[in-house]
Amino acid sequence: MPAPLFVVQNSIIQNMSVTESPSPPASPVAESLQKMLDPVLDPLVEAGSSGDWTHTLMFVGILLGIALVVDLLTQRILRPLVVRAVKATPTQIDDLILARGVLKRLAHVVPALVIYYGIALVPNIHSALVVWVGKAAQVYIVLNIAMAISAFLSALNDLYERRPRAHSRPIKGYVQLVKIVVYTVALVIIVSVLISRSPLTMLAGLGAMGAVLMLVFKDTILSLVASVQIASNDMVRVGDWIEMPSQGVDGDVVDVALHTVKVQNFDKTIVTVPTHRLIEDSVKNWRGMSESGGRRIKRALHLDQAAVRFLDDDQYRRLQRFVLLERHFKRKREELGEWNAEMTERHADPVNTRRLTNLGCFRAYVTAYLESHPKIDHGKTLMVRQLAPGPTGLPLEIYCFAATTEWGAYEGIQADIFDHLLAILPEFGLRLFQQPGGADLMAGLSALRGDVPAGQPET
């Protein structure tokens, strides 16, 4: 009786396997890859050899279906009910928590719990696959809880910013620091879950890495200390106008965070400055000017010293036309009259008496003009003073405060004042000192040639 066909085939295959040359040994890379794939391939081979593929897949499908149904119930039924209840309450914190998506993050935890506890109930599945699916579910749960806590902290910051004093004392930097701690703890828990170690063991290992962490988080630590100093000393607020020439900053603060301070310059560019630089570098804050309601005017007129002289009778009569000088002349007549009356005949010579000067009268006129100006803040310092003379003439400085802090209005007030003073200056026999220009040089050369008298314009 002839042998069955499959017996003949088996004998042929055995003879061929004997005559074939041995296969080369597997490489280390192949062995490593095989070890990595074993947890995934072994349950498939085991289920296939036992004939329970359908049974296992059915339970996996049921588990995924239950997780999907639970997710739909949570997202479509439970969460809308909570949203309606939150909107019906008069408190603000629950509305902010809802707006930040805290409930949405927590709702994702429920189906992950179903997967975590249900994967062990699936029959004929490899234990290693159960472990890795459980670890993936744990990582997903920890990540969503950390994100929910972060959203809750953002909601607390939103609630604080609605307070009246929140603008001057922001807590955004502290909130960001707590978020960093939350995500760091979450990272430690995730790593400990993946490597099957206790989180306490991981934290003990982090103690040995303290020096490395100090180096990695150096900027964060510096910024945290700077944020505490800025908040406690009330150095910078959102909305302040600050200047930092070293950083190219000249504008309004729009955001104060843990690591950076964002400033919008007046040319609409955005400059981001590390928070700790506000402690290390010089910062000019114009908040005091804004809160005072007035902005300082400090500018000098440089006068030609050669034009300063005593007033003669003609000049005195011309200056008496100025209403603003009436009080000055009255006071000076009494003061100088008493002084000069005490002089003896020998000292009665004009060189020994006190007399009015055109520069003194001009100073008195500028002071009276500023005191009567409706757009000058008369409750603050106001004076007209002489500075030390130099190569550019005699500086006569006007020091006062405009009754506004608005930039455009301030510049207009300042320009109007100096326009008037420059125009009225020749009435006192004074002239400004300035470097000679082309017209001055041409007039001088023409005078030397005899074409045009010196000091007269060429026609």
Side-chain angles (χ1 to χ4, degrees):
M1 182 177 177
L5 180 59
F6 70 90
V7 175
V8 177
Q9 290 176 344
N10 287 339
S11 62
I12 294 175
I13 292 174
Q14 290 175 359
N15 293 332
M16 290 178 63
S17 62
V18 172
T19 57
E20 286 179 352
S21 58
S23 59
S27 64
V29 177
E31 293 178 357
S32 301
L33 184 61
Q34 182 68 27
K35 291 179 180 179
M36 294 176 61
L37 294 178
D38 279 345
V40 179
L41 296 178
D42 287 348
L44 299 179
V45 174
E46 182 179 338
S49 60
S50 60
D52 292 331
W53 269 93
T54 305
H55 197 205
T56 302
L57 291 178
M58 181 182 67
F59 271 87
V60 170
I62 292 174
L63 179 61
L64 294 177
I66 293 174
L68 181 60
V69 170
V70 169
D71 183 61
L72 290 176
L73 291 175
T74 305
Q75 298 287 349
R76 301 293 178 86
I77 298 178
L78 182 60
R79 194 160 69 91
L81 291 176
V82 175
V83 170
R84 291 195 189 98
V86 165
K87 291 183 177 180
T89 59
T91 57
Q92 297 180 351
I93 181 62
D94 49 4
D95 295 329
L96 295 174
I97 290 175
L98 181 64
R100 283 291 182 175
V102 177
L103 295 179
K104 183 179 180 181
R105 295 295 180 187
L106 292 177
H108 289 308
V109 174
V110 180
L113 289 173
V114 174
I115 297 295
Y116 175 73
Y117 288 107
I119 190 64
L121 302 178
V122 177
N124 299 324
I125 190 170
H126 198 277
S127 59
L129 189 59
V130 173
V131 171
W132 282 106
V133 171
K135 287 182 177 180
Q138 285 180 296
V139 169
Y140 184 76
I141 292 171
V142 171
L143 186 60
N144 276 279
I145 292 176
M147 295 175 70
I149 295 175
S150 176
F152 177 75
L153 292 173
S154 298
L156 291 180
N157 183 61
D158 294 340
L159 179 65
Y160 178 80
E161 288 181 349
R162 295 186 178 185
R163 300 180 59 184
R165 298 188 60 185
H167 183 73
S168 59
R169 295 184 179 275
I171 63 170
K172 186 176 181 179
Y174 305 112
V175 172
Q176 289 179 336
L177 178 64
V178 177
K179 287 183 180 181
I180 291 175
V181 174
V182 169
Y183 281 114
T184 302
V185 173
L187 179 61
V188 171
I189 295 176
I190 288 174
V191 174
S192 65
V193 167
L194 293 177
I195 65 176
S196 301
R197 296 289 181 88
S198 172
L200 298 179
T201 305
M202 293 289 299
L203 292 175
L206 290 177
M209 299 175 60
V212 177
L213 294 176
M214 289 288 290
L215 180 62
V216 172
F217 295 102
K218 179 187 69 174
D219 292 336
T220 301
I221 296 173
L222 290 175
S223 298
L224 173 62
V225 175
S227 297
V228 173
Q229 292 180 345
I230 290 172
S232 60
N233 297 325
D234 197 16
M235 297 173 59
V236 175
R237 304 176 187 170
V238 175
D240 285 355
W241 170 17
I242 65 172
E243 287 186 33
M244 294 181 66
S246 61
Q247 304 296 319
V249 171
D250 185 12
D252 297 328
V253 177
V254 296
D255 185 44
V256 179
L258 176 62
H259 293 91
T260 59
V261 174
K262 188 181 297 184
V263 181
Q264 184 178 43
N265 287 340
F266 294 120
D267 59 359
K268 300 305 179 183
T269 58
I270 301 295
V271 181
T272 303
V273 183
T275 307
H276 62 86
R277 297 305 295 267
L278 272 71
I279 303 297
E280 299 172 357
D281 296 349
S282 175
V283 181
K284 179 188 286 188
N285 194 329
W286 292 82
R287 187 202 312 160
M289 178 271 296
S290 301
E291 293 177 348
S292 68
R295 187 171 177 182
R296 185 181 67 176
I297 296 175
K298 183 182 178 183
R299 184 178 294 182
L301 292 172
H302 292 263
L303 305 177
D304 189 349
Q305 301 175 72
V308 179
R309 60 177 58 88
F310 291 111
L311 291 182
D312 55 24
D313 293 338
D314 292 337
Q315 289 176 328
Y316 180 73
R317 282 192 296 270
R318 288 200 306 269
L319 293 181
Q320 281 185 321
R321 297 176 297 141
F322 291 86
V323 177
L324 294 176
L325 288 176
E326 288 180 354
R327 287 192 303 170
H328 173 70
F329 284 144
K330 180 180 179 181
R331 180 173 57 84
K332 281 299 182 180
R333 278 198 302 266
E334 297 175 356
E335 178 183 340
L336 297 182
E338 294 176 0
W339 176 275
N340 295 331
E342 297 177 357
M343 293 290 180
T344 61
E345 293 182 1
R346 182 179 178 183
H347 296 87
D349 191 276
V351 297
N352 296 317
T353 58
R354 290 179 60 186
R355 290 176 287 173
L356 295 173
T357 63
N358 57 351
L359 180 57
C361 293
F362 182 67
R363 264 193 309 113
Y365 174 81
V366 175
T367 302
Y369 176 76
L370 295 176
E371 289 176 347
S372 63
H373 200 291
K375 296 183 180 179
I376 296 297
D377 191 342
H378 305 296
K380 296 182 174 60
T381 304
L382 188 154
M383 61 180 172
V384 180
R385 60 174 183 166
Q386 290 185 23
L387 302 181
T392 58
L394 177 64
L396 187 69
E397 186 181 77
I398 287 83
Y399 192 101
C400 60
F401 288 82
T404 181
T405 59
E406 199 275 318
W407 193 1
Y410 160 78
E411 293 292 347
I413 294 170
Q414 182 174 237
D416 288 342
I417 290 173
F418 281 90
D419 288 348
H420 176 78
L421 296 181
L422 291 174
I424 205 70
L425 190 62
E427 293 286 341
F428 293 84
L430 297 170
R431 57 179 177 269
L432 289 178
F433 182 93
Q434 63 182 11
Q435 299 293 336
D440 299 323
L441 296 177
M442 290 296 296
L445 292 175
S446 299
L448 290 176
R449 292 198 305 264
D451 298 338
V452 180
Q456 295 186 8
E458 188 175 1
T459 59

